[in-house]
Amino acid sequence: MNEELDSQLSAMFDDELAPGECELLARRLSRDEQLKARWGRYAVIGAAIRSERGVRLNAALAGRVSAVILAEPALAAAHGAHRAAVRWWQPLAGAAVAVGVALVSVLWLRAQVPFAGAPRNAHLTATASVPAAAVVAAAAAGAPDSYVVPRAPAVRAMVPSTELANYVVAHSVFSSPVARRNLLSAFMTSESGTAAEEPPDEPQGNVH
Amino acid sequence: MSTSERFIALTLAWAVAGAALAGEASPERTPAHKTSLESAPAHKTSLDQAPAHKTSLESAPAHKTSLDQAPAHKTSLESAPAHWLERMNRALTTRNYDGTFSHWHGGRVEMLRIIHRVQDGTVSERLASLDGSGREFIRAGPSLTCYLPDKRTVLVEQRPPQESLVGFPAVNDQTASFYDIREVNRTRLNRRNTHVITVSPKDEYRYGYRLWIDDSTAMPLKTQLCDRRGHVIEQIVFASLTLPAHIPDSAFKSDVSTAGFQWLRNESGPPAPTAATLAWNAMRLPPGFRMAARSAQTLPGSADPVDHLVFTDGLASVSVFVEAQRREQADQPAVPESAALGSSSAFSTVIDGHKITAVGEVPPDTVRFIASQLKAEEPPAVSSRRH
């Protein structure tokens, strides 16, 4: 695959490809098996990366994702890389969801209004980052398999044992005020917290 | 973050706040439109009854304290970033305040309420989860009570009366050599003028902070805990905050129904010193850390004495607890264990038949390093003292 095509693919994932070029590339994707395979790989890798951060694939697809990642060491490394690197892949994954329906024929985005705790990145990429043409293509493709957008998996706050609770309470006396508040807040935190993959912005207007 | 992402994030934050404060799950009912500046009297104390989001700093005349009435002109020292940290610490430990804030860590957001009072030199504090766990932490002078409904347990720990939260640890020149403390911006946050202070660690042994400190009250309205690369790993943002002059005792009574709960106490006080007590010290410490306190105590639910050593670099602190292994544990293989509690870390290992557990708001490697450096030495002259 030449660099220009690769660049166009990347731009398409980033929703930065002009609509006309996007249409041309989509046509080429429909007849270029190599390009199609490349695109499909992007799709599952992107989905896999999102899976870690809140999106779960169905079981069959998950197996293929694992195989692809194992076959692609560089991408596997990127999977555990810096948050910014993951963020780079998010638009990629979002576009992959839609276009992958047409090309990989495995994904279908469940049409549902996200609950406040749903993984908003997944929703955003599906509604905002995906080129409109791709969304239409996805709808027309019939969507044979389902692509589930569940709530983010809980990053479980460790429920403290009584012993650890004792230690935390005793230690809190010697923490700086800010650290103590952080520590005790974490201690208070249960698994009922609402998922949010990034720190939420401050609620405005309530502190004056 | 794109505009739409910011919108979603704000919606999420308000949804959580709305559900928590209004006691409803509907994300549509956000409290943003309910802001009323004068409607919340400071004596509203019940977590269920107090609409914390209906209050404001400006509406609470009680917050007109010496901090607000300070002369307008500021010396270079007073405006230094480190000075803002000191002012913030002083405000957090000496002022009365009642606030609701969101706590974000590891992909989870939870709303909590904090009530803090200093009256006649006695610190009272109540921190309660407004969401699912229902856990509460209440400090009333030397008494620390922790309600754990999910474990149907209440821990009650009596601390030495002379132990004070105020002024510990303290930022000093040594601290400054391990952190880069800067004021990076002055901005408006929730219609308040704030100083954005960054505290950046110079090595991997500690975390940093980004703080939005209110210009007039020195209260941190937003706090981010960051790793050395500046990535946010924990965040606290106040959704409402008042500084009332008077907070009644009833504000520090738990709402948790404790029928059938197990109560674990340590009211027997610190254990008497014995000649056979070993003195534990760290052979090496991460740069900048020093031992700041040592005490012998019993913990709730345990009759065995525990040595409590505190190490600090002025901002971060690590507690190390040393207790003799019980007979039934002695035959078990010593397997080091790590744990995380929010951004804080814990590490436990066994050295010379003693279980060593380090806990602190530092990276995991730091608690592991300190715990593994503990060694028993000659018995101390006194069993409880501060350095």
Side-chain angles (χ1 to χ4, degrees):
Chain A
M1 185 186 306
N2 62 42
E3 284 186 7
E4 184 182 350
L5 266 178
D6 217 349
S7 173
Q8 284 185 317
L9 275 180
S10 179
M12 196 170 184
F13 273 122
D14 289 339
D15 194 18
E16 292 173 351
L17 195 63
E21 289 182 63
C22 190
E23 189 176 342
L24 286 174
L25 186 59
R27 284 181 190 164
R28 180 158 185 173
L29 278 165
S30 68
R31 60 176 186 272
D32 186 332
E33 290 300 322
Q34 189 182 2
L35 193 60
K36 194 185 296 182
R38 184 72 172 176
W39 187 269
R41 183 174 296 183
Y42 278 8
V44 290
I45 290 169
I49 290 170
R50 263 186 322 172
S51 177
E52 183 192 33
R53 297 173 51 75
V55 177
R56 186 172 60 236
L57 299 175
N58 62 38
L61 186 56
R64 293 211 298 274
V65 168
S66 299
V68 169
I69 288 178
L70 287 174
E72 193 82 48
L75 293 173
H79 180 70
H82 185 270
R83 185 186 190 92
V86 176
R87 189 175 296 140
W88 183 87
W89 280 98
Q90 286 174 347
L92 178 157
V97 170
V99 183
V101 169
L103 302 173
V104 189
S105 299
V106 291
L107 306 178
W108 175 76
L109 187 67
R110 176 181 292 178
Q112 58 181 4
V113 178
F115 171 66
R120 55 196 169 83
N121 283 339
H123 174 70
L124 284 171
T125 51
T127 57
S129 299
V130 178
V135 175
V136 173
D145 283 349
S146 65
Y147 179 81
V148 181
V149 186
R151 296 178 62 129
V155 179
R156 290 181 179 275
M158 191 190 68
V159 178
S161 68
T162 304
E163 187 179 35
L164 184 58
N166 276 331
Y167 292 153
V168 167
V169 171
H171 171 68
S172 69
V173 176
F174 295 95
S175 297
S176 67
V178 167
R180 179 168 58 252
R181 195 185 55 189
N182 278 26
L183 174 68
L184 293 175
S185 296
F187 179 66
M188 296 292 117
T189 301
S190 72
E191 296 175 1
S192 63
T194 305
E197 294 181 356
E198 293 183 1
D201 287 346
E202 59 276 4
Q204 294 178 351
N206 228 2
V207 178
H208 308 277
Chain B
M1 182 181 285
S2 69
T3 303
S4 55
E5 284 177 301
R6 293 177 68 85
F7 174 77
I8 295 295
L10 280 171
T11 303
L12 172 65
W14 280 117
V16 173
L21 295 173
E24 298 176 12
S26 170
E28 287 81 22
R29 296 199 59 175
T30 65
H33 62 285
K34 295 182 180 177
T35 302
S36 171
L37 301 184
E38 290 82 27
S39 57
H43 62 274
K44 288 277 190 183
T45 56
S46 166
L47 288 177
D48 296 327
Q49 294 174 350
H53 60 287
K54 291 185 178 179
T55 62
S56 79
L57 290 175
E58 290 165 348
S59 65
H63 78 281
K64 292 293 182 185
T65 63
S66 59
L67 279 177
D68 303 309
Q69 294 161 1
H73 65 276
K74 293 175 179 174
T75 66
S76 58
L77 178 63
E78 285 173 328
S79 59
H83 176 70
W84 275 106
L85 294 184
E86 300 241 9
R87 280 193 67 191
M88 178 192 71
N89 284 345
R90 201 183 326 138
L92 282 170
T93 51
T94 63
R95 306 195 77 163
N96 292 355
Y97 51 89
D98 180 350
T100 305
F101 61 89
S102 65
H103 172 261
W104 175 91
H105 171 76
R108 304 195 69 79
V109 182
E110 186 152 344
M111 296 300 295
L112 297 104
R113 184 179 181 194
I114 187 167
I115 308 172
H116 184 272
R117 181 186 74 180
V118 180
Q119 183 173 289
D120 301 327
T122 300
V123 176
S124 301
E125 189 171 68
R126 180 182 179 193
L127 180 66
S129 164
L130 299 180
D131 295 336
S133 80
R135 293 177 198 151
E136 287 195 28
F137 169 85
I138 296 177
R139 176 186 179 91
S143 176
L144 311 178
T145 307
C146 195
Y147 295 85
L148 306 172
D150 48 331
K151 301 180 81 68
R152 298 184 65 77
T153 299
V154 181
L155 306 175
V156 184
E157 181 175 348
Q158 295 293 328
R159 303 294 304 180
Q162 70 274 16
E163 210 171 62
S164 172
L165 289 169
V166 179
F168 184 89
V171 179
N172 53 31
D173 290 342
Q174 187 188 3
T175 307
S177 64
F178 295 97
Y179 295 90
D180 187 12
I181 304 172
R182 297 180 183 210
E183 178 170 354
V184 296
N185 197 7
R186 293 188 186 190
T187 186
R188 298 272 289 174
L189 179 67
N190 288 324
R191 289 185 269 175
R192 303 284 301 182
N193 291 325
T194 61
H195 299 255
V196 183
I197 307 293
T198 59
V199 182
S200 306
K202 294 181 179 176
D203 60 31
E204 304 280 356
Y205 287 108
R206 52 212 111 215
Y207 290 134
Y209 291 92
R210 192 174 296 129
L211 305 149
W212 282 253
I213 302 175
D214 184 54
D215 181 66
S216 66
T217 66
M219 290 291 289
L221 302 183
K222 178 176 176 179
T223 308
Q224 292 180 335
L225 185 74
C226 309
D227 64 17
R228 196 189 171 198
R229 295 183 181 86
H231 302 147
V232 180
I233 53 181
E234 190 169 22
Q235 176 175 285
I236 282 176
V237 185
F238 272 98
S240 68
L241 184 63
T242 58
L243 306 179
H246 174 70
I247 301 178
D249 292 343
S250 57
F252 301 96
K253 290 188 168 34
S254 171
D255 288 336
V256 176
S257 173
T258 58
F261 279 29
Q262 178 187 25
W263 287 72
L264 302 177
R265 306 171 190 270
N266 77 331
E267 291 179 322
S268 58
T274 64
T277 302
L278 293 171
W280 290 83
N281 283 301
M283 292 181 290
R284 290 174 58 209
L285 288 170
F289 279 86
R290 60 184 176 82
M291 185 186 289
R294 175 203 295 276
S295 66
Q297 60 190 91
T298 56
L299 296 175
S302 173
D304 300 326
V306 176
D307 274 353
H308 182 183
L309 287 64
V310 183
F311 303 92
T312 181
D313 67 355
L315 280 178
S317 59
V318 175
S319 283
V320 179
F321 301 91
V322 183
E323 52 190 320
Q325 270 194 306
R326 298 187 191 97
R327 188 170 299 170
E328 64 270 20
Q329 296 173 326
D331 297 333
Q332 298 173 359
V335 180
E337 296 176 346
S338 292
L341 195 69
S343 58
S344 297
S345 307
F347 178 77
S348 184
T349 188
V350 174
I351 298 175
D352 295 339
H354 288 73
K355 185 178 178 185
I356 313 289
T357 304
V359 179
E361 58 278 3
V362 292
D365 285 349
T366 307
V367 289
R368 189 159 47 239
F369 181 92
I370 292 177
S372 61
Q373 291 296 319
L374 264 282
K375 184 181 179 184
E377 295 181 339
E378 292 298 316
V382 292
S383 67
S384 180
R385 66 177 184 273
R386 254 198 178 177
H387 292 233

